[in-house]
Amino acid sequence: AGEKQTNCRRRGKEEEEEEEACAAPSPFFLCGGWYHDEGVQKYGGGIPGYQTWNVGFCDRIRVEGGEPSLSEWVEEVRRLRPGRMTRRSESGEGTWEHVAYGDYVAALTKPALAVMTYADELGSQEAYRVAAELYDEALQRSEEFPDVNYKNAAIAFGKFRNRDSPCKMVHYFSVFLLKTSSKQEHQILRTLRDFLVHEQKMQEEGEGCSSEILLTAKKAYRHYRRVVAESK
């Protein structure tokens, strides 16, 4: 594991000059997960000196201490991001097409979660911004993501504090409540309620979120209140 460094070689040019050329290190990737206790040392595994950085389908294995900058990491995520893929309606559960589509969806959102975890560790607003962007980009690709991804996207936008992030946060919390089967999301329901009260005042002043976000929030609030009432 780690970085593979090819040997340098000496090249002469008309016996008058020599230059040393070394090939760039070849990256190593882990696809499918570690076996048993062979996880990286950071997470209690048995391979000290290495860390993994998720880039979608796989994790990039890096020597500890050779961590990339956030911009380098995200550039690699976007470069290795899979192209668009549509799920065939006739591909039932257990078929290879179903499995492949599940892997595709996961590959789009795993880097966003990894960056958000990184942001939590560092308390980095820049990393929260990137995590929110990666979720936003991923969730435009399909309407079939597991509901937790919409919740995580909302949390990322909530932690990235800028002028537009509250509207994005409310949008993704609304989609989450419309999709989830959980009956325990009372705090999110209260968040939408407070938003709708606040947004009514903002709309009267000609400000606030878009009408589409407002309508989705109202729909989600009514839907989830009904879900909670029926579960009692």
Side-chain angles (χ1 to χ4, degrees):
E3 303 285 354
K4 177 184 177 183
Q5 178 67 57
T6 59
N7 292 328
C8 296
R9 62 184 185 277
R10 308 289 293 187
R11 295 188 305 190
K13 185 177 180 181
E14 297 179 354
E15 300 181 354
E16 294 174 354
E17 62 182 48
E18 289 184 338
E19 67 175 327
E20 186 178 272
C22 295
S26 300
F28 277 75
F29 296 90
L30 171 71
C31 302
W34 297 97
Y35 287 99
H36 308 301
D37 64 343
E38 295 180 341
V40 289
Q41 189 72 9
K42 181 178 179 181
Y43 302 108
I47 303 181
Y50 295 93
Q51 292 181 333
T52 54
W53 300 76
N54 186 269
V55 291
F57 279 116
C58 302
D59 294 298
R60 172 79 177 270
I61 302 174
R62 293 181 181 273
V63 176
E64 190 171 6
E67 292 86 352
S69 67
L70 179 61
S71 61
E72 290 172 332
W73 182 13
V74 175
E75 188 279 330
E76 187 166 50
V77 166
R78 287 184 167 131
R79 179 164 48 83
L80 297 176
R81 179 184 289 160
R84 289 188 178 273
M85 178 180 179
T86 56
R87 186 172 69 87
R88 295 170 58 187
S89 58
E90 66 270 22
S91 300
E93 187 171 350
T95 63
W96 72 266
E97 293 98 336
H98 179 84
V99 173
Y101 191 77
D103 289 344
Y104 162 75
V105 165
L108 293 173
T109 53
K110 280 183 179 179
L113 180 59
V115 173
M116 189 160 73
T117 302
Y118 175 82
D120 287 338
E121 291 176 357
L122 299 183
S124 167
Q125 274 291 295
E126 178 63 12
Y128 283 129
R129 178 188 68 78
V130 170
E133 285 182 357
L134 289 175
Y135 268 119
D136 203 34
E137 292 165 5
L139 295 175
Q140 307 308 312
R141 297 282 195 97
S142 171
E143 296 182 356
E144 300 182 55
F145 286 94
D147 57 31
V148 69
N149 290 293
Y150 297 94
K151 184 178 183 179
N152 287 341
I155 291 170
F157 275 106
K159 291 182 175 181
F160 171 50
R161 296 182 292 275
N162 81 340
R163 186 172 180 273
D164 299 323
S165 61
C167 294
K168 284 283 192 178
M169 178 190 73
V170 167
H171 168 68
Y172 283 119
F173 271 148
S174 299
V175 176
F176 169 69
L177 289 186
L178 289 169
K179 287 178 171 285
T180 188
S181 59
S182 169
K183 308 295 192 300
Q184 306 301 318
E185 307 298 337
H186 306 296
Q187 181 58 53
I188 295 177
L189 187 65
R190 286 192 289 271
T191 297
L192 288 194
R193 180 199 63 197
D194 294 345
F195 163 78
L196 290 170
V197 171
H198 172 74
E199 194 66 11
Q200 184 174 353
K201 298 177 182 177
M202 297 294 288
Q203 292 289 324
E204 291 171 357
E205 298 172 4
E207 299 180 2
C209 301
S210 70
S211 57
E212 181 180 358
I213 288 176
L214 182 58
L215 288 173
T216 303
K218 287 180 178 178
K219 180 180 178 182
Y221 181 72
R222 292 166 183 159
H223 164 78
Y224 200 73
R225 282 193 64 184
R226 187 165 58 250
V227 168
V228 172
E230 291 173 355
S231 68
K232 292 179 180 180

